[in-house]
Amino acid sequence: MLAYIYRAKFVIALLVAGALLLTSCYKAPVNPDPQLQNYFKQEVLDKNFVVTLATDSGVDITSAYAKDTFVMKGTTDTSYNNGPMIAHTDAGIFTGTWSSNTNGYFDYSILTIDFDAPYPDNFKFFIRPWKFTSKADFPTLHLAPYGVSTDPKVLTMQRL
């Protein structure tokens, strides 16, 4: 009987600890900053961008995108945190999607790029979540892979 009471207390303690852990990790989504939303809408969406620097593991691959133009399209969704992406290249027009801050914080610090298959091999470089490394000279987009500190990639895109 004593062993049964001990086990019951142990199970209850584990359940309470688990519940506390789960509820303490919850972060409520932050509402978008209207100033950042407006700036992103006016300076980035529906504008042509070109790659001015692309490095992969220290190797400059910028020339692979020398004639390419990229456009993150806006939508009727007033959150301005996702939409279609279009790439104009010598090989044709390629479509995909972009999204910003799928982590619940709408501070436009993350940009996820994806392209629909088939796409040129060199587009694999773009397909990932990126973090903004600087916003000092916006609308130049300074990006590095998000969530991977050991991935030595750099992407800089300049608005035309």
Side-chain angles (χ1 to χ4, degrees):
M1 179 74 163
L2 190 58
Y4 176 74
I5 293 172
Y6 175 75
R7 273 191 241 137
K9 286 182 181 179
F10 182 71
V11 169
I12 291 171
L14 280 177
L15 290 174
V16 169
L20 285 173
L21 180 65
L22 289 174
T23 59
S24 66
C25 293
Y26 175 75
K27 294 181 182 177
V30 176
N31 289 330
D33 179 337
Q35 188 175 5
L36 286 174
Q37 266 186 330
N38 258 348
Y39 197 77
F40 198 78
K41 177 186 172 190
Q42 292 171 357
E43 301 295 333
V44 176
L45 296 183
D46 300 311
K47 307 289 191 257
N48 291 316
F49 282 82
V50 293
V51 173
T52 55
L53 178 65
T55 63
D56 189 355
S57 300
V59 177
D60 189 336
I61 59 171
T62 309
S63 63
Y65 311 102
K67 296 181 180 182
D68 301 348
T69 306
F70 301 88
V71 181
M72 288 182 278
K73 303 294 284 179
T75 65
T76 56
D77 176 9
T78 57
S79 66
Y80 309 115
N81 64 352
N82 63 67
M85 184 152 184
I86 299 171
H88 298 270
T89 72
D90 283 347
I93 297 173
F94 299 92
T95 60
T97 58
W98 67 270
S99 63
S100 182
N101 292 82
T102 54
N103 64 351
Y105 294 94
F106 298 101
D107 59 358
Y108 296 95
S109 60
I110 300 168
L111 177 65
T112 301
I113 298 173
D114 196 7
F115 282 100
D116 303 325
Y119 50 80
D121 275 346
N122 64 339
F123 275 29
K124 290 177 188 172
F125 176 77
F126 292 108
I127 300 174
R128 71 188 73 247
W130 297 89
K131 64 183 173 189
F132 286 90
T133 57
S134 172
K135 295 180 185 175
D137 59 344
F138 223 47
T140 299
L141 310 178
H142 298 277
L143 304 162
Y146 172 74
V148 183
S149 61
T150 59
D151 196 3
K153 294 179 183 1
V154 174
L155 176 61
T156 304
M157 300 176 81
Q158 176 68 48
R159 191 180 79 190
L160 292 179

